[in-house]
Amino acid sequence: MLKIGDIKMKNRVVLAPMAGVCNPAFRLIAKEFGTGLVCAEMVSDKAILHGNKRTMEMLFVDEREKPLSLQIFGGDRESLVEAAKVVDKGTNADIIDINMGCPVPKVTKCDAGARWLLDPNKIYEMVSSVVDAVDKPVTVKMRIGWDDEHVFAVENAQAVERAGGSAVSVHGRTREQLYTGKANWDIIRDVKNAVSIPVIGNGDVFAPEDAKRMLEHTGVDGVMIGRGALGNPWMLYRTIQYLESGELLGDPSPREKMEVAILHLDRLIALKNEAVAVREMRKHLAWYLKGLPGGARVKDVIMEETGRDRMVAILENYINTLEQEADAKPSTAPAAASQSEEVVH
């Protein structure tokens, strides 16, 4: 059981707060696939305070998504605290998460995101200021360090704990690594051993077996899944089942994948206008199609589409063709087939 502050999750699987991905359309799918906690994509403190329309829409939380963590970022204490107050009183999120892991230059140049990793004192100052100003539990998502010469993961996590943070999520890569190389689970284990607040491990969890290995190797309280869930919310469900029962469920059929992809598209359209949603859905469909027979060819066609109905027609035609081809193939194991028929009847 994962518990952050007084918020209890039904399992230890957490959806990472991925920028450009974790809007309510995808988060709700992740929740329907059983995810214990879903995290919203990061939002700028300054944009919240300016009341930017698109930003305020990003603070929307569907009740069906709860428990949910809303992530903010910023480098200025005063604006971060004020933005946290808006999230605390003006949204129905359950948890306020502070980003100190984002590696992109436009964020780190503002003294935000991963820039904090260089200074445990700043982490203490910023987190304690937010904790004092809000009622919701405050958590932090961080990387293990800035680069190989500046890995202060343990000191930084201890600063979060001293500041009153309710949990810390640790991505086992440095800012310099971005998403390359291997995640260092040993340092995540060191963090877990150094603090008493819940620690959530993140990095290189692409299969249910990876999640189990991470839990065993690091002793973390929860496992955060990011890129492994792109176009593949089944990964979340399969991981939950594997951790709870040891049962490794099979992959979804192409039809199941496309049905969820279409549901995802329609939810995006409900959130935004059709033109914006279809454009945004192209990257998601590339992920949903990954690894499917002929998927690359369909992806190329999809990238040119601008309307919902035409996009759905292409996907349905693709699935029908796949199923017809499968039906047309002669059985390679007639004995096994007849045996299974006997069992059914």
Side-chain angles (χ1 to χ4, degrees), residues 213-227:
R213 281 193 305 108
M214 176 180 270
L215 286 166
E216 291 170 349
H217 185 88
T218 64
V220 289
D221 304 276
V223 175
M224 181 174 277
I225 298 172
R227 290 175 295 155

Side-chain angles (χ1 to χ4, degrees), residues 1 24 51 84 112 131 140 181 205 260 303 307 317 338 343:
M1 176 73 72
V131 169
V140 164
V205 179
V260 170
M303 291 301 159
N317 182 58
S338 61
V343 173

Side-chain angles (χ1 to χ4, degrees), residues 2 12 144 153-154 168-173 182-205 209-224 243:
L2 175 61
R12 296 186 286 176
I144 56 172
V154 168
V168 61
S169 303
V170 185
H171 182 168
R173 287 181 172 83
K182 266 187 81 174
N184 190 324
W185 290 2
D186 290 344
I187 295 176
I188 297 176
R189 180 182 58 200
D190 293 344
V191 170
K192 173 58 189 168
N193 291 336
V195 298
S196 57
I197 57 175
V199 176
I200 299 166
N202 177 219
D204 291 351
V205 179
E209 299 94 323
D210 296 333
K212 189 168 190 291
R213 281 193 305 108
M214 176 180 270
L215 286 166
E216 291 170 349
H217 185 88
T218 64
V220 289
D221 304 276
V223 175
M224 181 174 277
L243 294 179

Side-chain angles (χ1 to χ4, degrees), residues 118-131:
L118 292 165
D119 188 354
N121 291 328
K122 172 167 183 168
I123 289 167
Y124 173 80
E125 176 190 314
M126 300 285 268
V127 174
S128 62
S129 298
V130 172
V131 169

Side-chain angles (χ1 to χ4, degrees), residues 96-111:
I96 300 170
D97 188 59
I98 300 172
N99 179 297
M100 52 184 244
C102 181
V104 301
K106 73 175 182 181
V107 171
T108 57
K109 279 178 184 172
C110 301
D111 206 21

Side-chain angles (χ1 to χ4, degrees), residues 1-10 36-37 66-68 93-95 136-137:
M1 176 73 72
L2 175 61
K3 187 179 179 188
I4 297 174
D6 57 356
I7 310 296
K8 291 180 181 176
M9 321 308 158
K10 61 184 180 181
L37 174 67
K66 293 164 65 69
L68 176 136
D94 302 279
I95 295 162
K136 297 183 193 293

Side-chain angles (χ1 to χ4, degrees), residues 152-164:
F152 306 141
V154 168
E155 298 92 325
N156 290 340
Q158 288 171 332
V160 171
E161 182 174 35
R162 282 200 317 277

